[in-house]
Amino acid sequence: MPTDIAHDLENPVDDRYSPPPCGELDEIRAVLDDGRLSGGAQILPVYERTLAHRFGAARAIAVNSGTSVLHAALIAFDVRPGTEVLVPATAPLPTAMPILTCGATPVPVDTLPNSLALDPTDVDRKLTARTRAAITLPLWGYPNDERAITGLLADAGVPTIEDAAQAHGTRIANQHAGTLGRVGCFSTHDRKLLSTGEGGFILTNDQELADRIDYYTHLGHLRGGHGVNYKLAGPLAAIGLRRLTHLDAQLTQRRRNAERILAALPPGGPLRELPYGVQDKPNYYNLVLIATARQPEIAAAFHAAGLSPDSIRWRYQPLYHQPLFQPYATACPNAEHLATATIQLPVHPQLAEKSVAWITDQTVRIAQEETAA
């Protein structure tokens, strides 16, 4: 049920979506009655088959976090000390940290202008004989068409890992995000569209790769090989199984709320939506607008209105500005622009009509004021 929220600087709209009850307690109760709460619970393979079917993949493997999924995928591609992984300069810390966990070198790559897709010129420049994988990133649930780098990576024998942590239901070239590379990595953390509190899953059409990831994330099946314990607990799988059935309705409402704000934007004004292709469809994890001029002033205006963009609220910036990744800094001007020019707005289904109207009014006001400035 949408919540009615006071609209002032002391109490801005809540960007966290808390799914309404949809029978999760019944699913959890069934797991409790079964008595097996670990990753060996009977509900796990049911959840995995349902995930694979929902997103059109041959296999799904559920694990305990999105970071664990990325780490396991890197291990499956033999990422280790002395190797390199291409990673978008737009990546947040959880995307790149697993590279360091493997002891490998992250290589930040620039994006195309006003896009989340990797720049093929920069990819070509940074590919080496040590490159073991490339990570792509539909950040904020926005599509990133990576067809321009497909041939480059294929010729180099470099597999693609999609970090689709925020992209449940996003469509790229009319396919589900997370099914275009060798493996797609998803998070089901509390802030994601499909939320189990903590958790994640991989999607792949490569059965042999799926077996390797399953083996590694399940302690090598206790058969003498090396592995880690990344299993998802049974009660969390129960939550995911029930909430998955409501994902389509959530996507519909997010898109409806986003369209309402977009329809009100002044034509030719300083704000427009982050571009995507005609066969693409965001899931609207956030509605993302780009400021075409006066970026610092527009970001400050949204912050003053209680709608802080990620660059202010979370201090979002290109990966190599983070202290941990400064040794790997490289020039990525398009990523720099994207970090400072984008405005992220909540459009989740829990927002009341009054809240969506308020966000729309604030966005229009800022656009009109900045046009007149």
Side-chain angles (χ1 to χ4, degrees):
M1 179 68 65
T3 55
D4 198 8
I5 301 170
H7 308 303
D8 54 57
L9 297 186
E10 305 299 324
N11 186 21
V13 293
D14 191 353
D15 70 343
R16 180 184 289 273
Y17 173 58
S18 300
C22 58
E24 303 100 319
L25 289 178
D26 293 334
E27 293 285 357
I28 293 172
R29 188 172 295 109
V31 174
L32 291 171
D33 290 343
D34 177 69
R36 284 171 286 187
L37 307 183
S38 72
Q42 290 181 321
I43 198 167
L44 261 297
V46 177
Y47 179 47
E48 291 172 337
R49 288 194 299 270
T50 305
L51 286 168
H53 177 75
R54 169 62 178 77
F55 294 105
R59 288 279 297 277
I61 301 168
V63 298
N64 61 3
S65 76
T67 302
S68 297
V69 177
L70 282 165
H71 180 220
L74 292 169
I75 291 293
F77 290 131
D78 195 30
V79 173
R80 51 189 167 78
T83 65
E84 298 172 349
V85 177
L86 304 182
V87 60
T90 52
L93 286 171
T95 299
M97 280 184 174
I99 302 171
L100 299 182
T101 303
C102 292
T105 299
V107 180
V109 178
D110 203 6
T111 61
L112 291 169
N114 291 328
S115 172
L116 294 167
L118 294 178
D119 179 357
T121 301
D122 207 29
V123 169
D124 190 43
R125 183 184 302 120
K126 292 170 179 175
L127 273 171
T128 73
R130 297 181 296 278
T131 308
R132 287 291 181 273
I135 296 175
T136 62
L137 180 67
L139 192 62
W140 305 304
Y142 269 73
N144 56 327
D145 185 349
E146 302 290 0
R147 284 175 289 187
I149 65 167
T150 300
L152 279 173
L153 295 176
D155 291 344
V158 174
T160 300
I161 299 170
E162 290 180 83
D163 180 6
Q166 298 178 353
H168 311 74
T170 295
R171 307 282 289 194
I172 303 172
N174 214 25
Q175 290 182 251
H176 282 289
T179 65
L180 287 85
R182 287 284 301 282
V183 62
C185 299
F186 291 80
S187 167
T188 57
H189 178 268
D190 208 31
R191 296 188 71 92
K192 305 303 187 289
L193 270 71
L194 177 61
S195 167
T196 61
E198 296 286 357
F201 60 93
I202 70 106
L203 298 177
T204 184
N205 292 318
D206 186 328
Q207 293 286 0
E208 191 273 334
L209 177 63
D211 288 340
R212 291 208 308 271
I213 293 174
D214 180 76
Y215 185 88
Y216 180 73
T217 56
H218 290 70
L219 293 167
H221 294 175
L222 300 179
R223 294 175 183 169
H226 175 63
V228 293
N229 185 4
Y230 283 167
K231 299 191 298 295
L232 183 69
L236 299 187
I239 294 172
L241 186 63
R242 188 57 69 99
R243 287 183 173 176
L244 187 60
T245 62
H246 293 257
L247 179 59
D248 285 334
Q250 185 188 160
L251 290 167
T252 297
Q253 187 60 50
R254 284 177 180 268
R255 288 168 179 151
R256 185 177 296 130
N257 289 343
E259 287 165 5
R260 180 173 175 180
I261 298 170
L262 291 169
L265 283 178
L271 292 171
R272 62 185 177 89
E273 187 176 14
L274 181 67
Y276 55 87
V278 294
Q279 289 187 302
D280 300 344
K281 189 178 290 187
N283 69 356
Y284 289 112
Y285 179 87
N286 291 124
L287 168 61
V288 179
L289 305 177
I290 289 185
T292 58
R294 290 174 53 84
Q295 288 89 1
E297 290 81 3
I298 289 177
F302 274 97
H303 175 62
L307 292 166
S308 293
D310 285 3
S311 59
I312 296 177
R313 183 178 181 185
W314 307 113
R315 294 189 291 277
Y316 171 69
Q317 54 193 331
L319 178 67
Y320 49 80
H321 286 301
Q322 302 288 350
L324 193 59
F325 291 92
Q326 284 177 358
Y328 313 105
T330 181
C332 296
N334 294 327
E336 295 278 352
H337 175 76
L338 204 64
T340 57
T342 49
I343 307 295
Q344 298 77 18
L345 297 175
V347 289
H348 60 76
Q350 204 169 21
L351 293 171
E353 286 290 316
K354 180 179 178 182
S355 300
V356 178
W358 180 80
I359 295 170
T360 303
D361 291 345
Q362 295 301 311
T363 302
V364 170
R365 176 185 61 79
I366 291 169
Q368 291 173 339
E369 290 177 353
E370 290 301 322
T371 299

